[in-house]
């Protein structure tokens, strides 16, 4: 019988022959045999027996699909796609009134960095935040329902690529811009780039009870590009760090022009101090945002030179250091918060840029880590033993090194070109170790071919032994930029939406169903239950909606099946309309009945043996 899980060693040997990305491995690829104390085979390690659950949720960005992907670890089974920035016919997201309003007319988003809400630097499993680089938006997903709860568009931004990152207690969600643009994106010639263009960072608050965002304040920064950010922890809890590139102010041919300088900067911001400034009125109002300009409101913002075009920056779990990965310079630079604070206290500044004091590199750096032949470091994750794991985009590997000493202890090839990786509880104050998943940009020959373009891939790496071991790989839709991996015990989902008789537009029994007309508005207060729709129980046909051509129709539907996993859909033929009502949920769709005719309605979720019978008619009487 053919084994359904390939043996890792054979796979790796095959890939090594095929790849062109490999660096020269001084230590050689690891993982020939498991040193796991349980002596499990790789197949056993990923196998979650029928009826058992994975230990971790991996919540992965879906990139320009605008969706959130939910995976189980270690099985790497895909559990769900959660629509966030993009409409989804399967769930009716973007079709019902609430989600349509949240999407604001957009049909896509570019979601890069998920961030789980934190309490004391630990994932608390309540909400997940998402950035939309394409349309300057931030979203929250309620992890009790895995539904998108709110979306907000932010002014003055040019694509919040460097978000979302949360401060230790989710005081703020940090959203720095990728492109610099003129304030309010007004017209300004690129010749005026240095003068008129700005790189804005948004500091966003989220009210967890009301499930609503609020833009607290913005920070006006020089027209550099901001790539990634992270929030401090413990000693550095009041600080955020972010990497920059294009400090050259290139406005064309950026591939070359934005990579001239030997050094770009890390920007250090004390959000607590800025919060006080804002409370004291030290800001200007710009397009509805409270804007702090470091040239006018001095202090709290600093810069540190760092090797050429850094990409990721990650704060260590203990909050004492931050590590910049050098995209073009093949090294990881470890900086010390303590040293930075010392320089700031002594006003030991090398120069000033746009009113921002620049700290002397030599006084803030702790060490540079430069594994021979390892090229294109992008991002860092951490385990519970004081090790850091860096993805190497160009040499297609993960490098394990000791944060305290910079000693490189292991390297393992991945397939191929990893961007981020995610470790179990990897961004918290207490990572779990155990698993690291490498999020690879290129899968090439790993899976059955689906044409010139292939899926991305995710390699599961076992961290439990001294040596890293790649034990499994799965394809994934484009494009998982980043993911966070959270223990399953921290996520508490609702079994059903609670029955709330006071909920607007809800109906909970057949007697209360009705169709009301107000002028040319028709409101249907209906229920969905196994296996019928009831729009008006008193009518001759309870499952008929009869309106006049030109009427504005509102269909308020409540699913009164209060049983876990019994969900109903509602589709209307020829109307491009479909939505879902989960157990106990009430949702509304709205449309104008501009076409006279007869249109079947049916349940789109297979809910019972008589699901096929769960149907009705929309009749639109001609004018
Ligand atoms: S970025 Cu994709 S590999 Cu948008 Cu986080 Cu670094
Ligand atoms: Cu309800 Cu199918």
């Amino acid at each position: 019988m053919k084994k359904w899980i390939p043996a890792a060693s054979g796979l790796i040997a095959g890939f090594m022959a095929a790849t062109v990305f490999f660096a020269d491995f001084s230590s050689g690829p690891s993982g020939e045999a498991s040193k796991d104390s349980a002596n499990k085979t790789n197949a056993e390690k990923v196998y979650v027996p029928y009826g058992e659950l994975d230990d971790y949720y991996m919540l992965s960005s879906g990139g320009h699909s605008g969706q959130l992907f939910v995976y189980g670890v270690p099985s790497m089974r895909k559990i769900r796609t959660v629509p966030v920035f993009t409409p989804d016919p399967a769930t009716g997201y973007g079709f019902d009134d609430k989600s349509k309003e949240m999407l604001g007319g957009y049909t896509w988003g570019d979601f890069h960095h998920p961030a789980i809400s934190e309490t004391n630097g630990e994932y608390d499993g309540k909400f997940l935040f998402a950035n939309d680089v394409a349309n300057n938006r931030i979203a929250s997903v309620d992890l009790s329902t895995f539904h998108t709860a709110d979306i907000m568009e932010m002014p003055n931004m040019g694509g919040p690529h460097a978000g979302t990152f949360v401060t230790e207690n989710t005081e703020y969600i940090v959203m720095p811009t990728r492109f610099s643009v003129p304030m309010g994106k007004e017209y300004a010639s690129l010749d005026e780039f240095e003068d008129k263009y700005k790189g804005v960072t948004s500091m966003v608050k989220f009210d967890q009870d009301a499930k609503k965002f609020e833009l607290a304040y913005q920070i006006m920064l020089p027209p550099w590009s901001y790539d990634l950010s992270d929030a401090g922890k413990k000693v550095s809890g009041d600080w955020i760090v972010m990497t920059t590139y294009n400090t050259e102010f290139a406005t064309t041919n950026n591939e070359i022009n934005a990579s001239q300088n030997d050094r770009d900067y890390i920007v250090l911001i004390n959000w607590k101090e800025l919060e006080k400034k804002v409370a004291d009125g030290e800001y200007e109002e710009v397009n509805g945002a409270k804007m702090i300009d470091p040239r006018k409101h001095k202090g709290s913002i600093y810069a540190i030179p760092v090797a050429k075009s850094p990409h990721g920056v990650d704060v260590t779990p203990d909050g004492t250091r931050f590590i910049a990965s050098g995209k073009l310079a093949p090294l990881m630079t470890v900086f010390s918060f303590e040293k930075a604070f010392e320089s700031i206290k002594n006003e030991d500044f090398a120069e000033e840029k746009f009113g921002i004091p620049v700290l002397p590199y030599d006084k803030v750096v702790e060490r540079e880590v430069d594994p021979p032949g390892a090229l294109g470091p992008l991002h860092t994750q951490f385990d519970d033993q004081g090790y850091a794991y860096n993805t190497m985009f160009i040499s297609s590997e993960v490098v394990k090194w000791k944060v305290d000493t910079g000693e490189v202890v292991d390297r393992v090839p991945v397939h191929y070109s990893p961007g981020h990786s995610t470790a179990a509880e990897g961004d918290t104050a207490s990572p779990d170790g155990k698993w690291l998943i490498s999020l690879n940009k290129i899968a090439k020959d790993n899976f059955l071919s689906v044409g010139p373009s292939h899926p991305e891939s995710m390699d599961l790496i076992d961290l439990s032994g001294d040596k890293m071991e790649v034990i499994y790989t799965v394809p994934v839709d484009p494009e998982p930029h980043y993911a966070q991996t959270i223990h399953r015990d921290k996520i508490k989902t609702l079994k059903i939406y609670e029955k709330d008789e006071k909920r607007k537009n809800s109906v909970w029994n057949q007697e209360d169903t009705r169709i009301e007309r107000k002028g040319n508005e028709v409101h249907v207060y209906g229920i969905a239950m196994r296996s019928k729709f009831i729009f008006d129980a008193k009518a001759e046909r309870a499952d008929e909606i009869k309106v006049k051509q030109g009427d504005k129709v509102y269909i308020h539907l409540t699913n009164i099946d209060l049983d876990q996993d019994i969900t109903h859909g509602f589709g209307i033929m020829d109307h491009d309309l479909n939505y879902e009502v989960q157990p106990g949920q009430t949702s509304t769709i709205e449309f104008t009945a501009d076409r006279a005719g007869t249109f079947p309605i049916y349940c789109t979720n297979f809910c019972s043996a008589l699901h096929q019978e769960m149907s009705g008619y929309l009749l639109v009487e001609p004018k």
Side-chain angles (χ1 to χ4, degrees):
M1 201 175 88
K2 196 167 188 265
K3 249 180 148 181
W4 67 279
I5 297 170
S9 52
L11 258 188
I12 287 171
F15 291 150
M16 285 193 71
T19 181
V20 292
F21 284 109
F22 279 124
D24 193 16
F25 287 97
S26 45
S27 53
S30 62
E32 290 307 317
S34 170
K35 292 205 188 76
D36 178 37
S37 55
N39 268 328
K40 281 184 176 174
T41 65
N42 290 340
E44 284 168 335
K45 285 183 201 167
V46 296
Y47 182 63
V48 175
Y50 194 79
E52 286 181 28
L53 302 175
D54 280 296
D55 291 332
Y56 292 92
Y57 286 90
M58 175 170 61
L59 304 173
S60 168
S61 82
H64 42 294
S65 77
Q67 319 287 40
L68 169 72
F69 303 145
V70 182
Y71 280 79
V73 176
S75 76
M76 302 304 290
R77 292 176 294 191
K78 187 175 181 190
I79 296 168
R80 173 129 261 194
T81 295
V82 179
V84 180
F85 294 116
T86 304
D88 173 41
T91 53
Y93 181 77
F95 292 69
D96 70 89
D97 285 15
K98 184 180 176 231
S99 57
K100 214 158 102 182
E101 194 191 324
M102 274 198 300
L103 284 173
Y106 289 104
T107 60
W108 78 293
D110 190 6
F111 170 15
H112 279 234
H113 304 111
I116 299 168
S117 55
E118 291 184 18
T119 302
N120 296 324
E122 303 289 346
Y123 303 145
D124 59 27
K126 291 185 183 147
F127 290 90
L128 177 133
F129 304 106
N131 61 333
D132 171 14
V133 183
N135 308 301
N136 297 306
R137 292 181 296 171
I138 178 168
S140 61
V141 175
D142 184 338
L143 294 179
S144 72
T145 56
F146 282 76
H147 282 168
T148 302
D150 192 26
I151 297 181
M152 181 178 74
E153 200 169 334
M154 296 163 290
N156 303 319
M157 309 268 311
H161 179 266
T164 55
F165 290 86
V166 297
T167 54
E168 242 180 340
N169 287 292
T170 322
E171 294 94 341
Y172 290 95
I173 307 136
V174 186
M175 303 289 281
T177 199
R178 171 177 172 187
F179 297 96
S180 284
V181 289
M183 288 295 108
K185 290 198 215 78
E186 307 241 313
Y187 175 84
S189 160
L190 283 163
D191 296 336
E192 298 177 289
F193 192 81
E194 276 193 63
D195 195 34
K196 292 244 172 97
Y197 286 58
K198 300 284 180 270
V200 167
T201 290
S202 291
M203 301 295 286
V204 177
K205 279 201 163 289
F206 183 70
D207 179 334
Q208 300 201 355
D209 297 320
K211 300 181 190 172
K212 277 275 160 211
F213 285 115
E214 184 203 346
L215 179 58
Y217 61 93
Q218 291 188 320
I219 309 162
M220 183 188 285
L221 293 169
W224 301 333
S225 285
Y226 300 83
D227 213 4
L228 231 66
S229 62
D230 201 3
K233 286 188 178 76
K234 299 175 185 170
V235 283
S236 57
D238 298 347
W239 293 81
I240 50 180
V241 290
M242 51 184 89
T243 51
T244 65
Y245 61 104
N246 195 17
T247 57
E248 295 87 346
F249 308 118
T251 55
T252 180
N253 196 8
N254 287 16
E255 186 187 7
I256 294 166
N257 293 336
S259 313
Q260 308 274 309
N261 292 353
D262 274 344
R263 297 215 180 277
D264 291 288
Y265 299 99
I266 295 226
V267 179
L268 246 84
I269 293 174
N270 187 313
W271 59 265
K272 256 236 165 100
E273 287 178 17
L274 291 184
E275 186 178 66
K276 279 194 208 102
K277 280 197 167 82
V278 172
D280 294 344
E282 281 194 57
Y283 62 84
E284 284 77 47
E285 194 93 12
V286 182
N287 300 315
K290 295 171 178 163
M291 185 72 72
I292 294 178
D293 181 343
R295 293 168 302 184
K296 291 183 199 147
H297 311 291
K298 298 265 173 192
S300 320
I301 304 173
Y302 305 90
I304 305 168
V306 63
K308 209 176 178 99
S309 302
H311 186 57
V313 59
D314 294 279
V315 174
T316 54
D318 64 2
T320 60
R321 303 168 174 112
F322 52 101
I323 298 161
S325 299
K327 197 164 72 184
L328 294 184
L331 47 87
M332 287 78 79
T333 312
V334 186
F335 294 97
S336 153
F337 271 113
E338 202 184 314
K339 289 181 175 188
F341 298 158
E342 192 67 20
S343 284
I344 291 168
K345 199 176 84 201
N346 300 332
E347 299 195 8
D348 186 356
F349 305 140
E351 55 176 329
E352 199 178 277
K353 292 266 175 191
F354 291 82
I356 300 171
V358 179
L359 310 180
Y361 177 80
D362 295 340
K363 298 224 173 128
V364 185
V365 72
E366 190 177 287
R367 69 170 46 83
E368 294 174 351
V369 179
D370 182 7
L375 296 175
L378 292 189
H379 299 284
T380 313
Q381 283 283 282
F382 303 96
D383 70 6
D384 55 336
Q385 310 284 325
Y387 291 103
Y389 299 81
N390 259 86
T391 43
M392 297 288 169
F393 181 79
I394 298 173
S395 53
S396 286
E397 59 181 316
V398 172
V399 172
K400 175 180 177 181
W401 55 284
K402 191 136 194 98
V403 177
D404 278 344
T405 61
E407 180 200 358
V408 173
V409 297
D410 194 20
R411 297 165 67 165
V412 71
V414 291
H415 306 95
Y416 310 87
S417 300
H420 284 266
S421 69
T422 168
E425 300 272 325
D427 288 314
T428 69
S430 58
D432 283 1
K434 296 193 176 115
W435 303 111
L436 181 84
I437 296 106
S438 170
L439 308 173
N440 310 318
K441 304 293 186 193
I442 293 169
K444 240 187 342 199
D445 42 9
N446 293 10
F447 310 107
L448 291 176
S449 174
V450 287
S453 172
H454 296 248
E456 268 73 273
S457 73
M458 306 197 289
D459 287 347
L460 178 69
I461 302 173
D462 179 0
L463 301 183
S464 59
D466 293 342
K467 291 270 180 200
M468 293 180 283
E469 227 183 321
V470 179
I471 63 170
Y472 196 42
T473 189
V474 291
V476 55
D477 282 327
E479 178 188 337
H481 274 275
Y482 187 44
Q484 285 191 328
T485 304
I486 176 174
H487 197 273
R488 68 166 190 228
D489 289 351
K490 289 186 175 177
I491 290 188
K492 308 252 182 296
T493 54
L494 285 186
K495 284 215 159 55
I496 56 165
Y497 278 88
E498 224 165 285
K499 180 172 176 179
D500 172 7
E501 310 224 11
K502 290 202 202 85
R503 190 192 300 145
K504 205 177 156 214
N505 300 325
S506 67
V507 176
W508 297 94
N509 53 61
Q510 306 196 19
E511 297 78 67
D512 293 336
T513 56
R514 64 202 184 272
I515 298 179
E516 288 176 358
R517 175 174 285 280
K518 296 173 197 152
N520 69 341
E521 268 187 20
V522 177
H523 286 263
V524 178
Y525 299 92
I527 56 178
M529 59 190 282
R530 277 167 292 184
S531 303
K532 59 185 164 214
F533 293 115
I534 302 176
F535 304 124
D536 183 355
K538 293 174 281 298
E540 190 189 342
R541 293 186 190 88
D543 44 14
E544 176 191 57
I545 299 173
K546 206 171 185 177
V547 299
K548 294 193 171 67
Q549 191 176 9
D551 278 346
K552 188 139 206 209
V553 184
Y554 296 81
I555 299 171
H556 313 288
L557 202 59
T558 303
N559 177 353
I560 64 164
D561 281 327
L562 302 179
D563 282 328
Q564 181 178 340
D565 208 14
I566 301 302
T567 192
H568 297 287
F570 179 98
I572 307 178
M573 200 165 284
D574 301 335
H575 276 68
D576 200 29
L577 283 172
N578 174 53
Y579 67 134
E580 182 194 21
V581 272
Q582 297 193 356
Q585 197 181 20
T586 304
S587 295
T588 298
I589 48 164
E590 174 202 317
F591 63 98
T592 303
D594 39 20
R595 256 183 307 161
T598 302
F599 307 99
I601 290 167
Y602 68 101
C603 175
T604 46
N605 256 291
F606 208 111
C607 52
S608 66
L610 295 173
H611 153 80
Q612 204 69 351
E613 279 72 12
M614 189 166 173
S615 61
Y617 281 94
L618 167 71
L619 296 177
V620 183
E621 220 177 297
K623 252 192 192 137

